[in-house]
Amino acid sequence: EVQLVESGGGLVQPGGSLRLSCAASGFFFGAYYMTWVRQAPGKGLEWVSGISDIGRHTKYADSVKGRFTISRDNAKNTLYLQLNGLKTDDAATYYCARGDCGGDDCRTRGQGTQVTVSS
């Protein structure tokens, strides 16, 4: 059974940082492109970042470029997203997803971890 379990969310002040993790199981993690998407209250899924199977290639939404960093540890079957310089607009539930997907097409994803940005 494919499982993706996100963790690391929480409440942070504007300008703060968080590190999200996504533990993968049930499939050969190192063979898959992985994606982070997020969903703010009342909005649709928004693509955030993606990383190739061995981590050589990464890409970011313009809204997070320069502040967020995606990485992975294939030995640990874990995907990461470092969030720095958080803004109130970054508040959302963050999901990791298997594959190179853009939002609503991210069918294989975890239950999400909530990030709240507030002073």
Side-chain angles (χ1 to χ4, degrees), residues 32-115:
Y32 282 85
Y33 193 100
M34 296 296 293
T35 298
W36 284 99
V37 295
R38 66 186 181 185
Q39 187 168 28
K43 297 187 177 180
L45 283 170
E46 176 190 13
W47 175 77
V48 175
S49 182
I51 187 167
S52 59
D53 53 358
I54 60 172
R56 183 170 296 173
H57 301 291
T58 60
K59 54 184 180 180
Y60 299 92
D62 287 345
S63 59
V64 307
K65 198 173 294 181
R67 300 187 297 119
F68 292 7
T69 303
I70 190 171
S71 62
R72 65 191 297 161
D73 185 337
N74 287 349
K76 295 182 178 179
N77 289 345
T78 303
L79 177 72
Y80 302 101
L81 187 68
Q82 178 69 40
L83 288 61
N84 295 331
L86 281 161
K87 306 176 181 179
T88 54
D89 286 349
D90 295 319
T93 299
Y94 284 71
Y95 301 89
C96 64
R98 189 179 72 173
D100 187 0
C101 54
D104 287 337
D105 60 332
C106 296
R107 302 287 178 86
T108 303
R109 62 179 188 262
Q111 84 293 341
T113 186
Q114 187 169 355
V115 172

